[in-house]
Each structure stands twice: as C-alpha cells, then as structure tokens.
Amino acid sequence: MLLRLDMASKLPIYMQIRNQVVLGIAAGELAPGEKLPAIRALAEQCGVNMMTVSKAYSLLRQEGYITTDRRGGTVVAGSPGAGALSGKYDAALRIIAAEARLAGMDEDEFAALCREAYKGGA
C-alpha cells in the first residue's frame, strides 16, 4: 500500500493515513478482506512513528472501515453502509455548502462538484 503523505500539511499525519485508506476503499483499490500492512511495517514505509499509524488504524476501526484480528492482522472490512454516515457529517456539509454559496457558487455548480468528488475525481 503506497500512501502519499504531505509532511508540511496542517492536516495531522494520522488523518492523512486514515483519509488515504478511506479513499482507497472507495476507489476499489482496497477490497474487503484485503490485508493491510502491520503498524510497524507501515510506519517504517511512511517514515512516521508507530503511534501515528496506530492512531489512524484505531480511528479506521472505530469507523468500521477495517477490522483487526491478532492472528489474521488488519484487513479491510465490508462496506460500513450509508447508515454509518447518518448525521455524522451533516454540520460539516452545511458549512461547506454555506461557504460555497458565499463564494458565489450556485447550486448546480456545487452539486457538480459533489458528484465529481463522489466519483473520486477530487
């Protein structure tokens, strides 16, 4: 698994790892049941602390994207489904939509941008 991390970004490294795994699952690059690297191996590959990867994996596990078995390692879980998002991002999406409206973007432009991001074009 190849991750592109931006060490100069304001987004914490653990969130970058989390986001890249979620994007990989959504794009079909990581299939349900696919084994992910061990924490130590991914930390070495990325050049980050093991606790950083551990925090990312813990968040992904809480969100239902991965499962961990002591014998089987860490694997991509089945899709958590739409119910997992119910209400989770409502406030954030409302703010993004309000900022888009204030920036002069009309509803059709915003919907097109959302469709592009949904398809993985963002």
Side-chain angles (χ1 to χ4, degrees):
M1 180 169 71
L2 182 63
L3 300 178
R4 293 176 302 273
L5 302 177
D6 180 0
M7 300 301 179
S9 173
K10 291 182 181 180
L11 188 64
I13 300 297
Y14 80 92
M15 282 300 294
Q16 291 183 47
I17 294 170
R18 178 253 180 224
N19 292 347
Q20 296 249 338
V21 170
V22 170
L23 288 170
I25 294 169
E29 297 167 3
L30 296 171
E34 185 171 338
K35 191 168 181 177
L36 297 178
I39 290 172
R40 181 184 309 267
L42 187 57
E44 288 175 5
Q45 177 185 340
C46 294
V48 298
N49 188 294
M50 284 181 17
M51 291 306 295
T52 301
V53 176
S54 179
K55 189 170 182 177
Y57 275 18
S58 178
L59 185 56
L60 287 161
R61 202 171 22 261
Q62 288 172 353
E63 294 172 335
Y65 293 112
I66 64 173
T67 60
T68 302
D69 177 358
R70 291 178 193 252
R71 292 171 285 170
T74 301
V75 298
V76 176
S79 177
L85 293 179
S86 179
K88 182 175 179 180
Y89 294 110
D90 287 352
L93 184 56
R94 289 181 195 283
I95 290 181
I96 292 168
E99 289 174 348
R101 186 173 41 250
L102 291 173
M105 188 178 284
D106 68 27
E107 186 176 343
D108 291 335
E109 291 172 318
F110 184 71
L113 181 63
C114 289
R115 279 190 297 276
E116 182 180 328
Y118 184 81
K119 292 177 184 175

